[in-house]
Amino acid sequence: MTAGTATPPGPAPLVEALHVRVLDFPTDAPEADGTASWDSTTMVLVEAAAGDHRGVGWTYGAAAAAGVVTELLAGQVTGRSAFDVPAANEAMHRALRNAARPGIGGYALSAVDIALWDLKARLLGVPLADLLGRARSSVPVYGSGGFTCYDEGQLERQLRGWAAQERIPRVKIKIGESWGTREDRDLARIRQARALVGPDTELYVDANGAYTAKQAIRVAERFREYDVRWFEEPVSSDDLPGLARVRAATGADVAAGEYGFALPYFAAMAPVVDCLQADATRCGGLTVWLRAGALAQAHALELSAHCAPHAHAHAAAALPNLRHVEWFHDHVRIERLLFDGALDPAGGELLPGADGSPGLGLTPRPEVLDRYARPAGGAAAGASEPAGVPARAPGRRPGP
């Protein structure tokens, strides 16, 4: 990738190809929340090419998303102006009409959209935050992890790493262990977390939809002892009446929205939460994530970015009603390993674009790509060959 060199004035450069890889990263220890457990994380990485420039985007999810990029989306993007990202987003959205836009299709579209925004900013030689226009100079984060399968020593090391070493003033742990059947251990871990981080660090919890509404309200009654400020997905995010009941009964801010794939989803959820969440690697990329932020603002809410912190940081700087970005342990570990240019959360704030690097400021490390790439034949589009059709002649592109 060419850094710091802007494309000269003239006809808009065209997207020439998409390169897709499937990467599998083992976790550094088993991880679990209230409703799932895992020991590896799959990333689908997309690179959008225009001349000597490449933009990177990614999603965390099923490897099948790579095949969606290759088979359904690349032809909507290649040959199109690299500057017209919303038009490309709309074309991809329409191409997924009969292929499940929510779900794997949304993951694939999101990865491509992020790559296109990164590419545009690189072509113009500016940080993406400057291209979008800043609403803030720094982006607050909260440390996130605290998995339900961690023992006391693991939880202590992680929490002290965030609060004491990196000085992040907000931390979150998982609760709702074993589909909400271990309330005793949930409360013991909350008590341990508060003792470890002290009274001045905000403490958040995330049940990942493990509780029923009455159970969540009962557990939340104990939160006052530990000054829990944030209760994420106390019930399933599909249970809007349940979210409303919990919100009305607890002093902690109720948050949800990470599974949203379209604006109507966020519009329905906004009235029943205190803070709306959205994930740019799922909801339609940065194009739709920023629109979700505007929708939240219309409901007098803040927006919090779910996971994938390096995908969100620059767009988060452009959002006036941002609450924070999730500094999620699993994704932070992967993004620091994979990219040169990873951000520093010291003091609980990110400074995207502060060094002037164009785009997202990230460069994939070839040796890491090679080491963690899924073996040939392990996924439909896991190789790094260009996907889609050759670029069309300048001035010609498909309709929106």
Side-chain angles (χ1 to χ4, degrees):
M1 298 183 192
T2 303
T5 303
T7 296
L14 304 181
V15 180
E16 297 169 3
L18 301 181
H19 303 260
V20 190
R21 291 179 186 260
V22 177
L23 307 171
D24 290 316
F25 295 91
T27 57
D28 57 358
E31 298 177 355
D33 57 33
T35 57
S37 61
W38 59 97
D39 59 13
S40 67
T41 298
T42 298
M43 169 192 277
V44 176
L45 181 75
V46 175
E47 294 180 282
D52 294 333
H53 296 78
R54 287 194 180 189
V56 294
W58 64 97
T59 187
Y60 295 101
V68 176
V69 173
T70 301
E71 297 170 22
L72 297 176
L73 303 183
Q76 304 298 320
V77 173
T78 54
R80 186 182 293 274
S81 167
F83 292 164
D84 296 339
V85 183
N89 186 288
E90 181 65 17
M92 291 190 290
H93 179 97
R94 295 183 184 187
L96 292 173
R97 191 197 74 173
N98 292 336
R101 164 66 175 80
I104 288 175
Y107 283 67
L109 186 159
S110 299
V112 176
D113 181 89
I114 295 167
L116 293 176
W117 278 112
D118 186 35
L119 176 63
K120 180 176 180 177
R122 288 176 184 274
L123 287 164
L124 295 172
V126 297
L128 180 56
D130 292 339
L131 173 63
L132 296 173
R134 295 178 185 266
R136 59 183 67 243
S137 59
S138 63
V139 172
V141 298
Y142 67 91
S144 171
F147 301 109
T148 57
C149 57
Y150 277 3
D151 61 29
E152 291 186 4
Q154 288 174 299
L155 184 61
E156 178 177 0
R157 287 190 293 274
Q158 189 173 75
L159 290 174
R160 290 195 186 281
W162 292 327
Q165 296 174 19
E166 296 182 313
R167 296 177 289 107
I168 299 174
R170 314 160 198 91
V171 299
K172 186 179 81 178
I173 67 169
K174 301 288 191 179
I175 61 171
E177 183 176 348
S178 301
W179 286 90
T181 61
R182 294 295 310 276
E183 289 181 34
D184 56 340
R185 190 161 186 270
D186 291 340
L187 292 169
R189 293 175 66 253
I190 292 171
R191 180 168 58 251
Q192 181 195 4
R194 173 51 72 199
L196 286 169
V197 301
D200 298 327
T201 298
E202 294 183 24
L203 179 58
Y204 301 170
V205 298
D206 181 358
N208 286 98
Y211 295 140
T212 65
K214 283 189 175 181
Q215 184 183 21
I217 291 169
R218 182 174 65 249
V219 172
E221 289 176 353
R222 300 287 301 277
F223 286 177
R224 293 186 182 89
E225 299 176 47
Y226 310 109
D227 191 23
V228 174
R229 303 287 184 89
W230 170 278
F231 196 0
E232 185 173 331
E233 287 194 317
V235 299
S236 168
S237 54
D238 294 328
D239 182 7
L240 298 184
L243 285 169
R245 289 173 63 191
V246 177
R247 182 191 183 209
T250 178
D253 283 352
V254 169
E258 67 189 65
Y259 299 111
F261 287 97
L263 290 178
Y265 176 99
F266 298 116
M269 181 162 285
V272 300
V273 296
D274 296 296
C275 185
L276 193 63
Q277 293 177 286
D279 187 331
T281 73
R282 298 174 178 174
C283 73
L286 299 176
T287 299
V288 178
W289 189 84
L290 288 166
R291 293 171 185 169
L295 186 152
Q297 192 170 22
H299 287 82
L301 296 176
E302 292 175 314
L303 187 76
S304 179
H306 173 262
C307 288
H310 290 88
H312 288 102
H314 283 257
L319 203 67
N321 58 319
L322 177 77
R323 172 76 67 96
H324 38 42
V325 169
E326 184 172 12
W327 193 250
F328 180 55
H329 169 73
D330 193 21
H331 295 176
V332 168
R333 184 182 58 86
I334 291 169
E335 291 164 14
R336 282 174 164 170
L337 175 66
L338 176 59
F339 297 118
D340 285 324
L343 297 168
D344 182 357
E349 304 281 333
L350 303 178
L351 301 173
D355 64 356
S357 296
L360 295 173
L362 304 171
T363 303
R365 295 178 172 129
E367 68 278 10
V368 178
L369 291 174
D370 292 341
R371 179 179 178 184
Y372 293 98
R374 183 165 292 198
S384 60
E385 293 303 313
V389 299
R392 295 168 176 81
R396 297 179 61 200
R397 65 175 188 265

